[in-house]
Amino acid sequence: MNPIIAPSLLSSDFVNLEKEIKMLNKSQADWIHLDIMDGHFVPNITFGMPVIRAIKRVAQKPLDVHLMIEKPERFITDFKNAGADCLSVHWETCPHLHRTIHQIKDLDMLAGVAINPHTPVSFLEDIINDVDFVLLMSVNPGFGGQRFISNSIKRAKELRKLIDKHQSNALIEVDGGVDLDNAPTLVDVGVDILVAGNTVFGAENPTEVIKRLKGLSCE
Ligand code: DX5
Ligand code: ZN
């Protein structure tokens, strides 16, 4: 099985966003990853609905929207209307996670739960059969281009075990510092979705890097 590749637009050239998206349309990328930050949950602010709507007009691939915002339940319908196909919320921001996940699913989006590098994987035990995917942060959320936290490999293995134990269909997405060196190991331990920002958009030839990531496979 080859991984789903989700380049993160955070590291793209925002002046030439249309060109960047058209490059992704033609590439082997599967999803387009959008990082929404509010300056509260994470120490950075990115973009919101008007930009997502504009991206949607050009994108021919599903939009994978990663919410790094407080009280995300306020905006689920707005993100759907802006064009989100997959929507993930952080475990750390959701006291009523089960309700929020089902709010997302009821709007026919794939629902994901994201966890920070210090949040125990075992905390997902009672939500794993409700989510479509788990987004494992492999850096502290807030910025692109950070170094991969190597403990994330152990966490991905643990999550694979938890998913198998519960016979859940949840996919594993890894986000942060993914590169051509660590990606093969991630795929080997059972990661299904690779997010890559800097590795794709910082490359001479982004299309070729996407192709190489897509070419990785495991049993
Ligand atoms: C970080 C974001 C990531 C980021 C990944 O908070 O969630 O999606 O854009 O970028 P790289 O691959 O450069 O670490
Ligand atoms: Zn992200």
Side-chain angles (χ1 to χ4, degrees), residues 7 15 20 31 88 90 152 175 177 193 196:
V15 172
E20 301 280 46
W31 294 355
S88 54
H90 267 263
S152 310
D175 184 8
I193 309 160

Side-chain angles (χ1 to χ4, degrees), residues 84-115:
D85 298 282
C86 315
L87 195 63
S88 54
V89 293
H90 267 263
W91 185 92
E92 298 83 4
T93 63
C94 291
H96 303 290
L97 182 61
H98 182 273
R99 178 188 290 150
T100 306
I101 288 295
H102 284 278
Q103 239 180 306
I104 298 172
K105 291 175 79 150
D106 288 347
L107 291 170
D108 286 328
M109 293 180 280
L110 291 186
V113 59
I115 58 171

